[in-house]
């Protein structure tokens, strides 16, 4: 066999092995490897955004596969995706208040559903629904979290709205988190300017689980970190009556602007050190 023929055979074998390796990797990173594994039961989850999630994508707990995505359909009349999950029968002790989140395998891998256990003593039953979900992360949301915006699990099962008026909302935007004691409990639903009262009316959508917030609570616009995004913080009051759907938060604190902070710092420094009086006294000596 000539040297040229040997080179051609070696090149062909190398290409064949390359295609074989790609085929193996494809079966390990796509839904081809996610076939059914015995008896299972079905639960539903509703997502605001499924990204590139596909049928037969794995369902995992602590990184371990416990089932697969059975079907994905759009809920008629709503902007939510109904996802049915087929969970292996041997994993029948998943708490019913567990959180379902759509993750991505690695940097460019396929997406899958990850389950984070809740603390309920009741387990998911066949035909049950996971009320708490987190959608697929978009690039804009990931950048927002990098700057400290945070996020909250979507409770598509229900929420209630309350309103608050602010003289200045700063850079607060729709979708920003609403927090209490640092924990996200809802999102900013809308922001509009009142042409009569000349202030900003902010509508907050709060998870129905947090229905014991006193109606004399205060709402303030804070900033996450030094240059992070802004959010609404609720500081509970002491009233025996609780906030209800459609109520208004009377006590509010507007966003602090950098000019206000600098002004307060200068005024505080002037009143404590009294540099103006000291300068005048030095002038009188001459």
């Amino acid at each position: 066999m000539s040297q040229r023929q040997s080179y051609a055979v070696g090149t062909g074998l190398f290409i064949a092995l390359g295609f074989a390796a790609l085929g193996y990797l494809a079966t390990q990173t796509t839904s081809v490897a996610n076939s059914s594994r015995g008896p299972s039961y079905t639960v539903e989850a509703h997502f605001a955004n499924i990204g590139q999630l596909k049928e037969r994508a794995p369902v995992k707990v602590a990184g371990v596969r416990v089932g697969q995505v059975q079907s994905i359909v759009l809920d008629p009349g709503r902007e939510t995706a109904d996802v049915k999950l087929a969970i292996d029968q041997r994993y029948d002790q998943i708490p019913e208040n567990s959180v379902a989140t759509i993750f991505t395998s690695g940097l460019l891998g396929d997406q899958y559903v990850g389950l984070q256990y809740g603390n309920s003593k009741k387990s998911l039953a066949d035909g049950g629904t996971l009320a708490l979900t987190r959608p697929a992360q978009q690039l804009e949301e990931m950048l927002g979290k990098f700057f400290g915006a945070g996020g909250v699990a979507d409770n598509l099962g229900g929420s209630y709205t309350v309103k608050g008026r602010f003289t200045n909302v700063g850079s607060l935007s729709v979708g920003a988190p609403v927090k209490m004691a640092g924990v996200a409990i809802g999102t900013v639903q809308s922001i509009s300017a009142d042409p009569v009262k000349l202030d900003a009316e902010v509508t907050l959508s709060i998870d129905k689980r947090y229905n014991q917030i006193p109606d004399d609570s205060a709402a303030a616009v804070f900033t996450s970190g030094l240059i992070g995004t802004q959010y609404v913080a609720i500081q509970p009051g002491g009233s025996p009556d609780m906030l209800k759907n459609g109520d208004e938060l009377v006590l509010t604190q507007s966003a602090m602007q950098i000019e206000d902070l600098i002004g307060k710092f200068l005024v505080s420094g002037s009143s404590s050190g009294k540099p103006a009086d000291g300068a005048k006294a030095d002038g009188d000596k001459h």
Side-chain angles (χ1 to χ4, degrees), residues 237-254:
S239 173
D241 299 322
M242 305 303 165
L243 284 172
K244 299 184 294 295
N245 185 52
D247 285 353
E248 181 173 341
L249 291 161
V250 179
L251 301 175
T252 60
Q253 177 182 323
S254 297

Side-chain angles (χ1 to χ4, degrees), residues 11-124:
T11 302
L13 288 175
F14 179 79
I15 294 175
L17 289 174
F19 278 113
L22 288 175
Y24 173 77
L25 290 176
T27 62
Q28 298 302 311
T29 58
T30 64
S31 58
V32 174
N34 300 316
S35 57
S36 178
R37 301 184 181 182
S40 62
Y41 64 99
T42 304
V43 297
E44 292 187 1
H46 307 283
F47 294 92
N49 193 322
I50 61 168
Q52 300 299 318
L53 186 70
K54 297 179 177 63
E55 293 183 4
R56 294 197 298 173
V59 178
K60 298 182 180 180
V61 174
V64 179
R65 183 194 181 282
V66 299
Q68 67 178 14
V69 175
Q70 188 178 81
S71 65
I72 302 173
V73 295
L74 183 65
D75 188 347
R78 299 178 61 190
E79 291 183 310
T80 58
D82 290 346
V83 180
K84 287 188 177 182
L85 310 176
I87 309 295
D88 293 352
Q89 192 66 51
R90 54 179 173 165
Y91 303 109
D92 58 354
Q93 299 298 315
I94 300 176
E96 65 177 3
N97 65 339
S98 299
V99 181
T101 306
I102 297 178
F103 292 116
T104 302
S105 300
L107 184 61
L108 299 174
D110 287 345
Q111 291 184 313
Y112 65 93
V113 177
L115 299 182
Q116 181 180 0
Y117 277 15
N119 55 9
S120 176
K121 294 182 180 180
K122 294 183 179 180
S123 301
L124 281 172

Side-chain angles (χ1 to χ4, degrees), residues 117-189:
Y117 277 15
N119 55 9
S120 176
K121 294 182 180 180
K122 294 183 179 180
S123 301
L124 281 172
D126 187 28
T129 300
L130 287 161
L132 299 176
T133 63
R134 290 191 181 96
Q137 293 295 312
Q138 305 300 307
L139 179 60
E140 296 82 0
E141 295 175 357
M142 296 176 65
L143 291 175
K145 286 189 176 182
F146 176 77
F147 286 109
V152 60
D154 296 325
N155 185 2
L156 298 178
S159 62
Y160 66 99
T161 60
V162 296
K163 296 181 179 180
R165 292 184 175 274
F166 299 85
T167 56
N168 194 325
V169 295
S171 300
L172 186 70
S173 59
V174 174
V178 178
K179 298 183 179 182
M180 185 170 61
V183 179
I185 63 171
T187 58
V188 175
Q189 187 177 85

